[in-house]
Amino acid sequence: LFRISRILVIDDEADVRELLRDILSDAGHDVEMAHNGCEGIEMFEKQPYDLVLTDLGMPVMSGWEVAGKIRQMNKCVPIALVTGWNVVLDDAAMHSSGVNLVVHKPFQVDQVLNLVKEGIMVRDRLIAV
């Protein structure tokens, strides 16, 4: 069952932000973009999102810090880490960081779309609890 999702993409690299926006918009999602963690947090405070994709390695505020702040504001929104680093998270690390999903750069279109599907399932489980 597909439904339009509101997705916040936070990445300091314009080409990555725009690629994610294009992939997600083409799939029918409503996408907003932030160029750093601080801007992303401000946007998240002002309106609800169904899913947040945040880059791991950004200046000023890392993806870990973004995830922590968003998790404090909303326990039910899934957070996906987008990273070019070889990050492997076990369940404990993901739980403590507030991150639900990870996608590695370079990513394929289907990986991003599957990530959204997984994210919505995660959100529905979190809301049901």
Side-chain angles (χ1 to χ4, degrees):
L1 180 68
F2 176 79
R3 65 179 195 70
I4 294 173
S5 298
R6 289 182 44 76
I7 301 172
L8 176 59
V9 173
I10 306 169
D11 199 304
D12 60 317
E13 295 178 55
D15 54 343
V16 174
R17 265 195 324 269
E18 290 162 11
L19 177 59
L20 285 167
R21 180 199 59 207
D22 292 348
I23 291 169
L24 297 167
S25 296
D26 287 351
H29 298 289
D30 179 14
V31 182
E32 296 199 13
M33 301 185 301
H35 67 277
N36 62 46
C38 296
E39 182 186 28
I41 297 298
E42 286 175 21
M43 291 171 69
F44 191 86
E45 288 173 332
K46 292 177 184 161
Q47 58 191 322
Y49 293 93
D50 297 309
L51 176 66
V52 175
L53 284 88
T54 181
D55 186 21
L56 173 57
M58 296 183 289
V60 184
M61 184 183 291
S62 74
W64 297 122
E65 293 168 297
V66 169
K69 290 189 181 301
I70 287 176
R71 187 59 63 228
Q72 288 171 357
M73 289 185 269
N74 185 324
K75 302 254 184 268
C76 295
V77 67
I79 301 168
L81 208 56
V82 181
T83 179
W85 300 346
N86 189 17
V87 174
V88 178
L89 293 178
D90 59 28
D91 289 343
M94 289 181 75
H95 183 73
S96 67
S97 67
V99 171
N100 303 99
L101 305 158
V102 178
V103 67
H104 295 278
K105 299 175 195 172
F107 45 76
Q108 303 297 319
V109 171
D110 62 329
Q111 286 176 293
V112 174
L113 297 177
N114 286 332
L115 182 83
V116 173
K117 286 180 196 161
E118 283 182 58
I120 297 308
M121 289 190 297
V122 165
R123 191 196 59 145
D124 292 346
R125 277 198 309 268
L126 291 170
I127 288 172
V129 170

